Amino acid sequence: MDLRDLRYLLAVAEEGTLARAAVRLRVSASPLSRQIRLIEARLGLPVFARQGRRLTLTEAGARLLDRAREVLAAADQLAEHVRTELGEPPTRLAVGCVDAAVHTGLLATGLRAAEHTYPGLRTTVTLGHSPELIDRLRAGELDVALVHTPPPAADPNLVRTLVLQDPVALVIPAGHPAAHAPRPAALDGQAWITDQRAPAGIERFRAAARDAGFTPDIRYQAADLAVRVNLAAAGLGIAMLPARAVPALVPPALPVTVAPVPWLPLRIQVYTVTTRRPPRVVPAFTAGLTALPSPALPKTSRPGTTQAPSDLTRTPDDDG
């Protein structure tokens, strides 16, 4: 096997079909299919189980691909080292991020800064949950990660920097009883939509709600912020967003009320996490990502939008 074989296997595993993998690799699907079968024959084990056009990893294939990612990451790092020795600019950047980093503009800000410093970068962006992104950063598959829950400050191998601390805003269905007065009494027992991948964040929300005087009925859990907004617009419950993400995710025509709740002391935090000796391109990416001030929510004419009084304080916490 050579590095090209490993990249073929990885592309098929991540894309799920030969057609999508072929587009990613810029090859034809038929030769790619033959190459995958040839690799499996040389290995003597089935890497993929075939279900129609869908290819899924076998248990042995999953173990193989875990090691293949490590090998490819090491090869990329070696190539970057050679470019550094030759005085050439970096050519690649691998970023992992939670979806809040996308919708709040952090990802785009970092990419623009990196592209400005090193024109022509080839960049890959991986969406995921904080623990898996940090694992991929440790394995060398990512150059930088934007996460909610960072590693411990005393971690000997990784460096974390807080770049966003945003208050939450409620997205309330139009006509909902709480739309005109999003206070604790109106929110008690109402249906809520939260992040399914953040059990610690859900528990912090329950605790903050209890302190504020209401009990949420968490009926729906969805990993993606945009999905949670759409469920709220369908009248299924109340969702929470980082305030900075409201302009990107809540268009004016959406049948919801957006309400700041300064009396609910929850904060959405995003950290950059890098290795202690990151690739040269990483400082360019992180240069513009200082601790950003939280913006005021945009004025809106939607019925029921209110400014709730600030009557509670609490130390900001991670989203999970």
mmCIF file of all heavy atoms in Angstrom, residues 50-101:
data_model
loop_
_atom_site.group_PDB
_atom_site.id
_atom_site.type_symbol
_atom_site.label_atom_id
_atom_site.label_comp_id
_atom_site.label_asym_id
_atom_site.label_seq_id
_atom_site.Cartn_x
_atom_site.Cartn_y
_atom_site.Cartn_z
ATOM 1 N N ARG A 50 -20.796 -3.835 1.472
ATOM 2 C CA ARG A 50 -21.527 -3.171 0.396
ATOM 3 C C ARG A 50 -23.020 -3.428 0.526
ATOM 4 O O ARG A 50 -23.460 -4.562 0.570
ATOM 5 C CB ARG A 50 -20.989 -3.624 -0.956
ATOM 6 C CG ARG A 50 -19.587 -3.098 -1.247
ATOM 7 C CD ARG A 50 -18.813 -3.943 -2.217
ATOM 8 N NE ARG A 50 -17.515 -3.345 -2.570
ATOM 9 C CZ ARG A 50 -16.422 -3.453 -1.842
ATOM 10 N NH1 ARG A 50 -16.455 -4.156 -0.722
ATOM 11 N NH2 ARG A 50 -15.296 -2.875 -2.219
ATOM 12 N N GLN A 51 -23.771 -2.329 0.571
ATOM 13 C CA GLN A 51 -25.237 -2.383 0.630
ATOM 14 C C GLN A 51 -25.770 -1.496 -0.474
ATOM 15 O O GLN A 51 -25.967 -0.292 -0.287
ATOM 16 C CB GLN A 51 -25.734 -1.913 2.000
ATOM 17 C CG GLN A 51 -25.185 -2.736 3.159
ATOM 18 C CD GLN A 51 -25.522 -2.129 4.507
ATOM 19 O OE1 GLN A 51 -25.769 -0.935 4.626
ATOM 20 N NE2 GLN A 51 -25.536 -2.963 5.543
ATOM 21 N N GLY A 52 -25.973 -2.106 -1.652
ATOM 22 C CA GLY A 52 -26.332 -1.303 -2.807
ATOM 23 C C GLY A 52 -25.156 -0.418 -3.179
ATOM 24 O O GLY A 52 -24.030 -0.887 -3.331
ATOM 25 N N ARG A 53 -25.409 0.866 -3.309
ATOM 26 C CA ARG A 53 -24.329 1.809 -3.619
ATOM 27 C C ARG A 53 -23.615 2.300 -2.362
ATOM 28 O O ARG A 53 -22.608 2.990 -2.456
ATOM 29 C CB ARG A 53 -24.880 3.002 -4.397
ATOM 30 C CG ARG A 53 -25.447 2.626 -5.764
ATOM 31 C CD ARG A 53 -25.898 3.861 -6.508
ATOM 32 N NE ARG A 53 -26.406 3.532 -7.826
ATOM 33 C CZ ARG A 53 -26.853 4.430 -8.701
ATOM 34 N NH1 ARG A 53 -26.860 5.722 -8.364
ATOM 35 N NH2 ARG A 53 -27.302 4.056 -9.883
ATOM 36 N N ARG A 54 -24.151 1.968 -1.227
ATOM 37 C CA ARG A 54 -23.591 2.446 0.035
ATOM 38 C C ARG A 54 -22.491 1.516 0.508
ATOM 39 O O ARG A 54 -22.648 0.284 0.511
ATOM 40 C CB ARG A 54 -24.697 2.515 1.090
ATOM 41 C CG ARG A 54 -24.282 3.161 2.393
ATOM 42 C CD ARG A 54 -24.281 4.650 2.274
ATOM 43 N NE ARG A 54 -23.803 5.295 3.483
ATOM 44 C CZ ARG A 54 -23.574 6.586 3.581
ATOM 45 N NH1 ARG A 54 -23.796 7.368 2.546
ATOM 46 N NH2 ARG A 54 -23.131 7.113 4.700
ATOM 47 N N LEU A 55 -21.356 2.097 0.918
ATOM 48 C CA LEU A 55 -20.253 1.316 1.464
ATOM 49 C C LEU A 55 -20.044 1.728 2.913
ATOM 50 O O LEU A 55 -19.884 2.920 3.212
ATOM 51 C CB LEU A 55 -18.959 1.555 0.674
ATOM 52 C CG LEU A 55 -18.768 0.753 -0.629
ATOM 53 C CD1 LEU A 55 -19.709 1.255 -1.708
ATOM 54 C CD2 LEU A 55 -17.323 0.831 -1.097
ATOM 55 N N THR A 56 -20.058 0.751 3.801
ATOM 56 C CA THR A 56 -19.816 1.020 5.216
ATOM 57 C C THR A 56 -18.611 0.205 5.674
ATOM 58 O O THR A 56 -18.345 -0.890 5.164
ATOM 59 C CB THR A 56 -21.040 0.660 6.075
ATOM 60 O OG1 THR A 56 -21.366 -0.728 5.868
ATOM 61 C CG2 THR A 56 -22.235 1.517 5.697
ATOM 62 N N LEU A 57 -17.887 0.736 6.625
ATOM 63 C CA LEU A 57 -16.685 0.058 7.106
ATOM 64 C C LEU A 57 -17.025 -1.205 7.883
ATOM 65 O O LEU A 57 -17.962 -1.213 8.692
ATOM 66 C CB LEU A 57 -15.883 0.999 8.012
ATOM 67 C CG LEU A 57 -15.112 2.128 7.329
ATOM 68 C CD1 LEU A 57 -14.576 3.098 8.372
ATOM 69 C CD2 LEU A 57 -13.970 1.584 6.482
ATOM 70 N N THR A 58 -16.284 -2.256 7.640
ATOM 71 C CA THR A 58 -16.341 -3.427 8.507
ATOM 72 C C THR A 58 -15.601 -3.091 9.803
ATOM 73 O O THR A 58 -14.942 -2.055 9.910
ATOM 74 C CB THR A 58 -15.671 -4.630 7.832
ATOM 75 O OG1 THR A 58 -14.291 -4.312 7.603
ATOM 76 C CG2 THR A 58 -16.350 -4.948 6.497
ATOM 77 N N GLU A 59 -15.692 -3.960 10.795
ATOM 78 C CA GLU A 59 -14.959 -3.712 12.037
ATOM 79 C C GLU A 59 -13.458 -3.653 11.782
ATOM 80 O O GLU A 59 -12.761 -2.775 12.313
ATOM 81 C CB GLU A 59 -15.282 -4.815 13.059
ATOM 82 C CG GLU A 59 -16.704 -4.762 13.595
ATOM 83 C CD GLU A 59 -16.922 -5.775 14.702
ATOM 84 O OE1 GLU A 59 -15.921 -6.380 15.150
ATOM 85 O OE2 GLU A 59 -18.086 -5.960 15.116
ATOM 86 N N ALA A 60 -12.973 -4.574 10.945
ATOM 87 C CA ALA A 60 -11.543 -4.552 10.612
ATOM 88 C C ALA A 60 -11.207 -3.295 9.824
ATOM 89 O O ALA A 60 -10.147 -2.685 10.016
ATOM 90 C CB ALA A 60 -11.176 -5.802 9.809
ATOM 91 N N GLY A 61 -12.111 -2.891 8.926
ATOM 92 C CA GLY A 61 -11.887 -1.678 8.146
ATOM 93 C C GLY A 61 -11.829 -0.442 9.010
ATOM 94 O O GLY A 61 -11.015 0.462 8.776
ATOM 95 N N ALA A 62 -12.685 -0.376 10.029
ATOM 96 C CA ALA A 62 -12.686 0.777 10.932
ATOM 97 C C ALA A 62 -11.360 0.876 11.680
ATOM 98 O O ALA A 62 -10.801 1.971 11.847
ATOM 99 C CB ALA A 62 -13.852 0.670 11.909
ATOM 100 N N ARG A 63 -10.839 -0.275 12.123
ATOM 101 C CA ARG A 63 -9.552 -0.259 12.819
ATOM 102 C C ARG A 63 -8.423 0.157 11.873
ATOM 103 O O ARG A 63 -7.514 0.905 12.239
ATOM 104 C CB ARG A 63 -9.267 -1.628 13.440
ATOM 105 C CG ARG A 63 -10.174 -1.962 14.626
ATOM 106 C CD ARG A 63 -9.675 -3.192 15.355
ATOM 107 N NE ARG A 63 -9.820 -4.396 14.553
ATOM 108 C CZ ARG A 63 -10.899 -5.186 14.539
ATOM 109 N NH1 ARG A 63 -11.945 -4.869 15.290
ATOM 110 N NH2 ARG A 63 -10.935 -6.270 13.799
ATOM 111 N N LEU A 64 -8.494 -0.342 10.637
ATOM 112 C CA LEU A 64 -7.485 0.011 9.643
ATOM 113 C C LEU A 64 -7.506 1.514 9.363
ATOM 114 O O LEU A 64 -6.454 2.167 9.288
ATOM 115 C CB LEU A 64 -7.734 -0.768 8.354
ATOM 116 C CG LEU A 64 -6.858 -0.380 7.156
ATOM 117 C CD1 LEU A 64 -5.417 -0.780 7.415
ATOM 118 C CD2 LEU A 64 -7.376 -1.019 5.878
ATOM 119 N N LEU A 65 -8.703 2.081 9.216
ATOM 120 C CA LEU A 65 -8.809 3.501 8.880
ATOM 121 C C LEU A 65 -8.354 4.392 10.029
ATOM 122 O O LEU A 65 -7.852 5.494 9.800
ATOM 123 C CB LEU A 65 -10.238 3.837 8.457
ATOM 124 C CG LEU A 65 -10.500 3.826 6.929
ATOM 125 C CD1 LEU A 65 -9.720 4.952 6.262
ATOM 126 C CD2 LEU A 65 -10.103 2.496 6.301
ATOM 127 N N ASP A 66 -8.520 3.925 11.265
ATOM 128 C CA ASP A 66 -7.991 4.694 12.396
ATOM 129 C C ASP A 66 -6.482 4.858 12.260
ATOM 130 O O ASP A 66 -5.932 5.953 12.467
ATOM 131 C CB ASP A 66 -8.325 3.996 13.721
ATOM 132 C CG ASP A 66 -9.777 4.182 14.132
ATOM 133 O OD1 ASP A 66 -10.433 5.106 13.592
ATOM 134 O OD2 ASP A 66 -10.252 3.409 14.981
ATOM 135 N N ARG A 67 -5.800 3.781 11.918
ATOM 136 C CA ARG A 67 -4.347 3.861 11.737
ATOM 137 C C ARG A 67 -3.989 4.624 10.470
ATOM 138 O O ARG A 67 -2.979 5.347 10.416
ATOM 139 C CB ARG A 67 -3.743 2.450 11.691
ATOM 140 C CG ARG A 67 -3.947 1.639 12.967
ATOM 141 C CD ARG A 67 -3.399 2.354 14.188
ATOM 142 N NE ARG A 67 -1.976 2.636 14.061
ATOM 143 C CZ ARG A 67 -1.021 1.790 14.430
ATOM 144 N NH1 ARG A 67 -1.338 0.606 14.962
ATOM 145 N NH2 ARG A 67 0.246 2.115 14.293
ATOM 146 N N ALA A 68 -4.819 4.479 9.422
ATOM 147 C CA ALA A 68 -4.547 5.185 8.164
ATOM 148 C C ALA A 68 -4.591 6.698 8.374
ATOM 149 O O ALA A 68 -3.762 7.432 7.821
ATOM 150 C CB ALA A 68 -5.558 4.770 7.097
ATOM 151 N N ARG A 69 -5.537 7.163 9.193
ATOM 152 C CA ARG A 69 -5.603 8.604 9.480
ATOM 153 C C ARG A 69 -4.322 9.083 10.156
ATOM 154 O O ARG A 69 -3.809 10.164 9.863
ATOM 155 C CB ARG A 69 -6.815 8.909 10.361
ATOM 156 C CG ARG A 69 -8.148 8.799 9.650
ATOM 157 C CD ARG A 69 -9.283 9.312 10.534
ATOM 158 N NE ARG A 69 -10.562 9.253 9.855
ATOM 159 C CZ ARG A 69 -11.417 8.234 9.939
ATOM 160 N NH1 ARG A 69 -11.102 7.194 10.709
ATOM 161 N NH2 ARG A 69 -12.548 8.254 9.287
ATOM 162 N N GLU A 70 -3.799 8.272 11.083
ATOM 163 C CA GLU A 70 -2.561 8.643 11.764
ATOM 164 C C GLU A 70 -1.401 8.720 10.772
ATOM 165 O O GLU A 70 -0.574 9.645 10.823
ATOM 166 C CB GLU A 70 -2.246 7.632 12.864
ATOM 167 C CG GLU A 70 -3.271 7.599 13.994
ATOM 168 C CD GLU A 70 -2.996 6.481 14.986
ATOM 169 O OE1 GLU A 70 -1.968 5.789 14.816
ATOM 170 O OE2 GLU A 70 -3.802 6.301 15.920
ATOM 171 N N VAL A 71 -1.337 7.756 9.862
ATOM 172 C CA VAL A 71 -0.249 7.737 8.881
ATOM 173 C C VAL A 71 -0.338 8.943 7.953
ATOM 174 O O VAL A 71 0.660 9.620 7.669
ATOM 175 C CB VAL A 71 -0.286 6.423 8.071
ATOM 176 C CG1 VAL A 71 0.696 6.482 6.901
ATOM 177 C CG2 VAL A 71 0.028 5.233 8.960
ATOM 178 N N LEU A 72 -1.537 9.240 7.472
ATOM 179 C CA LEU A 72 -1.708 10.376 6.558
ATOM 180 C C LEU A 72 -1.416 11.696 7.260
ATOM 181 O O LEU A 72 -0.832 12.605 6.663
ATOM 182 C CB LEU A 72 -3.129 10.371 5.983
ATOM 183 C CG LEU A 72 -3.434 9.226 5.016
ATOM 184 C CD1 LEU A 72 -4.914 9.210 4.656
ATOM 185 C CD2 LEU A 72 -2.585 9.355 3.753
ATOM 186 N N ALA A 73 -1.834 11.807 8.509
ATOM 187 C CA ALA A 73 -1.539 13.030 9.263
ATOM 188 C C ALA A 73 -0.024 13.202 9.423
ATOM 189 O O ALA A 73 0.512 14.307 9.268
ATOM 190 C CB ALA A 73 -2.213 12.986 10.624
ATOM 191 N N ALA A 74 0.671 12.096 9.720
ATOM 192 C CA ALA A 74 2.126 12.167 9.863
ATOM 193 C C ALA A 74 2.787 12.543 8.535
ATOM 194 O O ALA A 74 3.753 13.323 8.503
ATOM 195 C CB ALA A 74 2.666 10.829 10.374
ATOM 196 N N ALA A 75 2.266 12.015 7.435
ATOM 197 C CA ALA A 75 2.821 12.339 6.124
ATOM 198 C C ALA A 75 2.621 13.820 5.801
ATOM 199 O O ALA A 75 3.522 14.482 5.267
ATOM 200 C CB ALA A 75 2.168 11.473 5.051
ATOM 201 N N ASP A 76 1.448 14.346 6.114
ATOM 202 C CA ASP A 76 1.190 15.765 5.877
ATOM 203 C C ASP A 76 2.105 16.636 6.729
ATOM 204 O O ASP A 76 2.598 17.676 6.277
ATOM 205 C CB ASP A 76 -0.280 16.094 6.173
ATOM 206 C CG ASP A 76 -1.218 15.531 5.124
ATOM 207 O OD1 ASP A 76 -0.753 15.241 4.006
ATOM 208 O OD2 ASP A 76 -2.420 15.363 5.429
ATOM 209 N N GLN A 77 2.317 16.225 7.974
ATOM 210 C CA GLN A 77 3.208 16.986 8.850
ATOM 211 C C GLN A 77 4.643 16.957 8.323
ATOM 212 O O GLN A 77 5.367 17.967 8.392
ATOM 213 C CB GLN A 77 3.141 16.419 10.266
ATOM 214 C CG GLN A 77 1.817 16.698 10.969
ATOM 215 C CD GLN A 77 1.685 15.934 12.273
ATOM 216 O OE1 GLN A 77 2.501 15.079 12.597
ATOM 217 N NE2 GLN A 77 0.643 16.243 13.028
ATOM 218 N N LEU A 78 5.058 15.816 7.797
ATOM 219 C CA LEU A 78 6.403 15.719 7.232
ATOM 220 C C LEU A 78 6.543 16.630 6.015
ATOM 221 O O LEU A 78 7.556 17.331 5.856
ATOM 222 C CB LEU A 78 6.705 14.269 6.841
ATOM 223 C CG LEU A 78 8.069 14.017 6.181
ATOM 224 C CD1 LEU A 78 9.199 14.436 7.112
ATOM 225 C CD2 LEU A 78 8.197 12.548 5.787
ATOM 226 N N ALA A 79 5.518 16.648 5.162
ATOM 227 C CA ALA A 79 5.555 17.522 3.986
ATOM 228 C C ALA A 79 5.613 18.986 4.399
ATOM 229 O O ALA A 79 6.344 19.794 3.804
ATOM 230 C CB ALA A 79 4.328 17.266 3.111
ATOM 231 N N GLU A 80 4.861 19.344 5.441
ATOM 232 C CA GLU A 80 4.896 20.716 5.939
ATOM 233 C C GLU A 80 6.276 21.053 6.498
ATOM 234 O O GLU A 80 6.790 22.174 6.308
ATOM 235 C CB GLU A 80 3.827 20.895 7.019
ATOM 236 C CG GLU A 80 3.876 22.219 7.757
ATOM 237 C CD GLU A 80 3.607 23.421 6.869
ATOM 238 O OE1 GLU A 80 3.118 23.242 5.724
ATOM 239 O OE2 GLU A 80 3.912 24.549 7.303
ATOM 240 N N HIS A 81 6.898 20.099 7.172
ATOM 241 C CA HIS A 81 8.249 20.323 7.708
ATOM 242 C C HIS A 81 9.230 20.600 6.570
ATOM 243 O O HIS A 81 10.083 21.513 6.673
ATOM 244 C CB HIS A 81 8.697 19.109 8.518
ATOM 245 C CG HIS A 81 10.118 19.188 8.984
ATOM 246 N ND1 HIS A 81 10.514 19.999 10.030
ATOM 247 C CD2 HIS A 81 11.247 18.574 8.528
ATOM 248 C CE1 HIS A 81 11.817 19.884 10.205
ATOM 249 N NE2 HIS A 81 12.281 19.028 9.316
ATOM 250 N N VAL A 82 9.130 19.840 5.495
ATOM 251 C CA VAL A 82 10.032 20.043 4.346
ATOM 252 C C VAL A 82 9.801 21.428 3.741
ATOM 253 O O VAL A 82 10.758 22.145 3.413
ATOM 254 C CB VAL A 82 9.815 18.940 3.297
ATOM 255 C CG1 VAL A 82 10.597 19.252 2.023
ATOM 256 C CG2 VAL A 82 10.241 17.586 3.856
ATOM 257 N N ARG A 83 8.539 21.833 3.596
ATOM 258 C CA ARG A 83 8.255 23.167 3.047
ATOM 259 C C ARG A 83 8.838 24.254 3.947
ATOM 260 O O ARG A 83 9.343 25.269 3.467
ATOM 261 C CB ARG A 83 6.754 23.353 2.868
ATOM 262 C CG ARG A 83 6.187 22.628 1.657
ATOM 263 C CD ARG A 83 4.772 23.055 1.378
ATOM 264 N NE ARG A 83 3.841 22.603 2.404
ATOM 265 C CZ ARG A 83 3.205 21.449 2.378
ATOM 266 N NH1 ARG A 83 3.398 20.602 1.372
ATOM 267 N NH2 ARG A 83 2.365 21.104 3.344
ATOM 268 N N THR A 84 8.753 24.044 5.252
ATOM 269 C CA THR A 84 9.323 25.017 6.183
ATOM 270 C C THR A 84 10.836 25.107 6.000
ATOM 271 O O THR A 84 11.406 26.209 5.952
ATOM 272 C CB THR A 84 8.999 24.618 7.641
ATOM 273 O OG1 THR A 84 7.582 24.600 7.812
ATOM 274 C CG2 THR A 84 9.599 25.617 8.623
ATOM 275 N N GLU A 85 11.503 23.957 5.885
ATOM 276 C CA GLU A 85 12.952 23.948 5.699
ATOM 277 C C GLU A 85 13.351 24.635 4.397
ATOM 278 O O GLU A 85 14.410 25.271 4.312
ATOM 279 C CB GLU A 85 13.465 22.503 5.709
ATOM 280 C CG GLU A 85 13.358 21.805 7.052
ATOM 281 C CD GLU A 85 14.249 22.447 8.097
ATOM 282 O OE1 GLU A 85 15.355 22.893 7.747
ATOM 283 O OE2 GLU A 85 13.836 22.519 9.271
ATOM 284 N N LEU A 86 12.501 24.539 3.382
ATOM 285 C CA LEU A 86 12.795 25.158 2.087
ATOM 286 C C LEU A 86 12.369 26.620 2.028
ATOM 287 O O LEU A 86 12.584 27.287 1.012
ATOM 288 C CB LEU A 86 12.086 24.377 0.971
ATOM 289 C CG LEU A 86 12.557 22.948 0.738
ATOM 290 C CD1 LEU A 86 11.675 22.247 -0.288
ATOM 291 C CD2 LEU A 86 14.020 22.942 0.266
ATOM 292 N N GLY A 87 11.742 27.103 3.109
ATOM 293 C CA GLY A 87 11.281 28.480 3.117
ATOM 294 C C GLY A 87 10.026 28.708 2.293
ATOM 295 O O GLY A 87 9.709 29.852 1.930
ATOM 296 N N GLU A 88 9.268 27.646 1.999
ATOM 297 C CA GLU A 88 8.051 27.770 1.209
ATOM 298 C C GLU A 88 6.846 27.980 2.127
ATOM 299 O O GLU A 88 6.836 27.513 3.268
ATOM 300 C CB GLU A 88 7.842 26.508 0.361
ATOM 301 C CG GLU A 88 8.948 26.269 -0.661
ATOM 302 C CD GLU A 88 8.727 24.985 -1.437
ATOM 303 O OE1 GLU A 88 7.750 24.265 -1.115
ATOM 304 O OE2 GLU A 88 9.536 24.699 -2.338
ATOM 305 N N PRO A 89 5.805 28.679 1.637
ATOM 306 C CA PRO A 89 4.622 28.901 2.472
ATOM 307 C C PRO A 89 3.819 27.616 2.644
ATOM 308 O O PRO A 89 3.896 26.713 1.801
ATOM 309 C CB PRO A 89 3.823 29.936 1.672
ATOM 310 C CG PRO A 89 4.247 29.717 0.253
ATOM 311 C CD PRO A 89 5.692 29.328 0.321
ATOM 312 N N PRO A 90 3.063 27.510 3.741
ATOM 313 C CA PRO A 90 2.198 26.332 3.927
ATOM 314 C C PRO A 90 1.125 26.281 2.852
ATOM 315 O O PRO A 90 0.724 27.310 2.296
ATOM 316 C CB PRO A 90 1.599 26.539 5.313
ATOM 317 C CG PRO A 90 1.701 28.001 5.568
ATOM 318 C CD PRO A 90 2.923 28.473 4.850
ATOM 319 N N THR A 91 0.651 25.090 2.554
ATOM 320 C CA THR A 91 -0.344 24.913 1.491
ATOM 321 C C THR A 91 -1.657 24.335 1.987
ATOM 322 O O THR A 91 -2.625 24.279 1.226
ATOM 323 C CB THR A 91 0.204 23.997 0.394
ATOM 324 O OG1 THR A 91 0.506 22.709 0.971
ATOM 325 C CG2 THR A 91 1.452 24.585 -0.232
ATOM 326 N N ARG A 92 -1.721 23.864 3.244
ATOM 327 C CA ARG A 92 -2.930 23.204 3.715
ATOM 328 C C ARG A 92 -3.274 23.662 5.128
ATOM 329 O O ARG A 92 -2.407 24.072 5.901
ATOM 330 C CB ARG A 92 -2.778 21.675 3.705
ATOM 331 C CG ARG A 92 -1.665 21.169 4.604
ATOM 332 C CD ARG A 92 -1.608 19.659 4.688
ATOM 333 N NE ARG A 92 -2.759 19.117 5.374
ATOM 334 C CZ ARG A 92 -2.870 19.027 6.695
ATOM 335 N NH1 ARG A 92 -1.906 19.461 7.478
ATOM 336 N NH2 ARG A 92 -3.951 18.500 7.232
ATOM 337 N N LEU A 93 -4.563 23.575 5.440
ATOM 338 C CA LEU A 93 -5.063 23.889 6.777
ATOM 339 C C LEU A 93 -6.243 22.971 7.058
ATOM 340 O O LEU A 93 -7.163 22.866 6.240
ATOM 341 C CB LEU A 93 -5.514 25.348 6.860
ATOM 342 C CG LEU A 93 -6.243 25.783 8.139
ATOM 343 C CD1 LEU A 93 -5.313 25.673 9.345
ATOM 344 C CD2 LEU A 93 -6.770 27.211 7.995
ATOM 345 N N ALA A 94 -6.212 22.297 8.193
ATOM 346 C CA ALA A 94 -7.301 21.409 8.605
ATOM 347 C C ALA A 94 -7.913 21.959 9.894
ATOM 348 O O ALA A 94 -7.232 22.044 10.915
ATOM 349 C CB ALA A 94 -6.794 19.987 8.824
ATOM 350 N N VAL A 95 -9.184 22.356 9.805
ATOM 351 C CA VAL A 95 -9.880 22.976 10.931
ATOM 352 C C VAL A 95 -11.034 22.080 11.360
ATOM 353 O O VAL A 95 -11.782 21.563 10.520
ATOM 354 C CB VAL A 95 -10.435 24.361 10.541
ATOM 355 C CG1 VAL A 95 -11.136 25.013 11.730
ATOM 356 C CG2 VAL A 95 -9.330 25.251 10.021
ATOM 357 N N GLY A 96 -11.198 21.905 12.658
ATOM 358 C CA GLY A 96 -12.381 21.236 13.199
ATOM 359 C C GLY A 96 -13.175 22.241 14.009
ATOM 360 O O GLY A 96 -12.595 23.093 14.685
ATOM 361 N N CYS A 97 -14.502 22.177 13.941
ATOM 362 C CA CYS A 97 -15.283 23.160 14.684
ATOM 363 C C CYS A 97 -16.667 22.638 15.041
ATOM 364 O O CYS A 97 -17.215 21.767 14.352
ATOM 365 C CB CYS A 97 -15.405 24.472 13.911
ATOM 366 S SG CYS A 97 -16.338 24.374 12.385
ATOM 367 N N VAL A 98 -17.197 23.174 16.124
ATOM 368 C CA VAL A 98 -18.599 22.954 16.475
ATOM 369 C C VAL A 98 -19.442 23.873 15.598
ATOM 370 O O VAL A 98 -18.950 24.871 15.056
ATOM 371 C CB VAL A 98 -18.849 23.248 17.972
ATOM 372 C CG1 VAL A 98 -18.138 22.223 18.839
ATOM 373 C CG2 VAL A 98 -18.390 24.662 18.339
ATOM 374 N N ASP A 99 -20.743 23.558 15.437
ATOM 375 C CA ASP A 99 -21.535 24.339 14.483
ATOM 376 C C ASP A 99 -21.742 25.782 14.943
ATOM 377 O O ASP A 99 -21.930 26.681 14.120
ATOM 378 C CB ASP A 99 -22.868 23.657 14.162
ATOM 379 C CG ASP A 99 -23.811 23.573 15.344
ATOM 380 O OD1 ASP A 99 -23.356 23.672 16.499
ATOM 381 O OD2 ASP A 99 -25.024 23.396 15.107
ATOM 382 N N ALA A 100 -21.681 26.042 16.252
ATOM 383 C CA ALA A 100 -21.804 27.424 16.718
ATOM 384 C C ALA A 100 -20.682 28.292 16.176
ATOM 385 O O ALA A 100 -20.874 29.492 15.939
ATOM 386 C CB ALA A 100 -21.812 27.461 18.247
ATOM 387 N N ALA A 101 -19.499 27.709 15.954
ATOM 388 C CA ALA A 101 -18.388 28.478 15.392
ATOM 389 C C ALA A 101 -18.662 28.886 13.954
ATOM 390 O O ALA A 101 -18.164 29.908 13.481
ATOM 391 C CB ALA A 101 -17.100 27.663 15.473
#
